[in-house]
Amino acid sequence: FTGDELLGLPLKAPNATYEKVYTLPLLSISMNKGTGVVTSVPSDSPDDYVALKTLKDKPDYAAKFGITPDMVDPFEVVPIIEIEGYGDASAVFMCEKLKIKS
């Protein structure tokens, strides 16, 4: 199978805040290289934060990947680590500070 067949599948992630999460595309990589699922950390990874925000803000774009609003809208950034000077959501902090949209 191909990696895009994994998109939108519900998962139970160990130690997650949410009971169920979904596989989402990482918009900054080629979908033609490899398959697999990696953990998304939108609190601390700018790529992950921007990808989640884009999928939330652009439902028509998300639909191209088979992603529906119920797969992204209920999910908020979950703080993982505290970085001095950047807070507990460093990706959000830096994207907002530098006005990064996508």
Side-chain angles (χ1 to χ4, degrees):
F1 62 89
T2 61
D4 58 348
E5 293 177 61
L6 299 172
L7 296 175
L9 293 177
L11 302 170
K12 180 169 178 56
N15 302 320
T17 299
Y18 297 100
E19 184 176 326
K20 175 174 50 175
V21 296
Y22 296 89
T23 54
L24 303 174
L26 181 56
L27 307 175
S28 61
I29 62 166
S30 169
M31 293 297 280
N32 298 322
K33 289 186 178 180
T35 61
V37 176
V38 297
T39 300
S40 175
V41 187
S43 61
D44 301 298
S45 168
D47 283 347
D48 293 347
Y49 172 69
V50 169
L52 178 61
K53 186 157 177 36
T54 299
L55 294 170
K56 285 179 154 192
D57 292 348
K58 299 179 180 179
D60 290 340
Y61 181 71
K64 292 179 183 181
F65 299 99
I67 304 302
T68 58
D70 62 299
M71 295 175 183
V72 291
D73 288 347
F75 299 95
E76 298 300 326
V77 170
V78 176
I80 304 293
I81 60 174
E82 174 84 27
I83 300 174
E84 188 174 334
Y86 297 90
D88 63 1
S90 60
V92 178
F93 175 83
M94 288 306 298
C95 287
E96 289 176 354
K97 180 178 180 173
L98 299 175
K99 298 181 173 80
I100 297 170
K101 301 288 183 197
S102 63

